[in-house]
Amino acid sequence: MLGAIVVALGISACGGGDKGTDEAELTASQVCASAFDTSAAKALQRIGDTTKFAELPGSDDSGKPNKFSLKYAASTVHKDQTQRNQCVVFKAGDKSGHPLIDLDFSASRYVPKTETPGSGGDSEKTYYPIGAYAQTGDTSSALLYFKCPTQDPTEASGTTPYVRASLTSAPGQISAKATGRDLMTVLNSLSGALAKQLDCASEAALPSEIPASTHSGETGTSR
């Protein structure tokens, strides 16, 4: 998770440091390709305790704009993290250069295993019955896997069965008013929009509203 934050900050530096907060102010409904539904937009406002946001400016090492696009993000799920199109959101006017949230999507062959209650797991992890796996880590991160077969261009045959969606934040950026459910609401909304772009919405099992969480515990790994 920290690696994702470091990558985001590195991209920001390449694009002109803290100029991300000098860009045109955006509403919660305008960030991330205007893909958030109403619930996610309200959740983002609680996460940042603000109504004004900005996105990562500039371009990546390949010359592609850092600005998030569903089409571009869908085309980069099999690429290295530094080459994927991520939605990096800042609080407008924040001169720290640290992102409020960084949403990243990558292809995955595996889904983590949700452990049962009482297994001695991490109490800060809360699970949600959406997608193939959904978990928040307190109010600092969220992780969601959903079924969405995509072709790996580096392999001649077969597909990668899942997409891994993650939400991370720089320390101290998320408001005390935010909840883990807010993070999952934002991540689920953008994941649903990407699933439509990838033509896998019918099998992704991403609801329009986040159901109640189930339990907390440690995660292992399973196929």
Side-chain angles (χ1 to χ4, degrees), residues 2 15 27 34-35 44-45 48 61 79 92 97 104-105 109-110 115 128-129 134 140 150 152 155 157 167 209:
L2 180 59
T27 67
S34 300
L44 180 59
Q45 290 176 352
D61 292 340
K79 292 185 177 295
D104 180 42
F105 299 92
R109 297 188 179 281
Y110 308 98
E115 297 295 329
Y128 296 82
S140 60
T150 56
D152 187 344
E155 296 189 4
S157 61
L167 183 156
E209 294 185 11

Side-chain angles (χ1 to χ4, degrees), residues 201-222:
S202 61
E203 54 192 317
L206 301 176
S208 57
E209 294 185 11
I210 302 296
S213 60
T214 54
H215 63 276
S216 300
E218 188 177 33
T219 59
T221 302
S222 65

Side-chain angles (χ1 to χ4, degrees), residues 50-135:
T50 183
T51 59
K52 298 177 180 180
F53 303 90
E55 288 193 72
L56 194 65
S59 58
D60 62 20
D61 292 340
S62 66
K64 295 283 188 178
N66 286 323
K67 185 175 179 62
F68 183 77
S69 157
L70 288 170
K71 183 177 181 180
Y72 186 25
S75 71
T76 61
V77 293
H78 285 277
K79 292 185 177 295
D80 180 82
Q81 185 179 29
T82 59
Q83 297 176 308
R84 292 196 294 265
N85 184 219
Q86 304 168 13
C87 183
V88 184
V89 180
F90 298 83
K91 290 181 284 188
D94 183 354
K95 301 299 182 181
S96 70
H98 295 165
L100 172 63
I101 56 171
D102 179 356
L103 295 99
D104 180 42
F105 299 92
S106 60
S108 177
R109 297 188 179 281
Y110 308 98
V111 173
K113 180 181 178 182
T114 302
E115 297 295 329
T116 57
S119 62
D122 187 343
S123 62
E124 292 186 349
K125 293 181 179 179
T126 301
Y127 301 98
Y128 296 82
I130 64 174
Y133 174 92
Q135 164 249 308

Side-chain angles (χ1 to χ4, degrees), residues 130-132 144-148 191-192 195-196 200-207:
I130 64 174
L144 171 62
Y145 287 74
F146 56 94
K147 190 174 182 181
C148 187
S191 295
K196 290 180 180 178
C200 62
S202 61
E203 54 192 317
L206 301 176

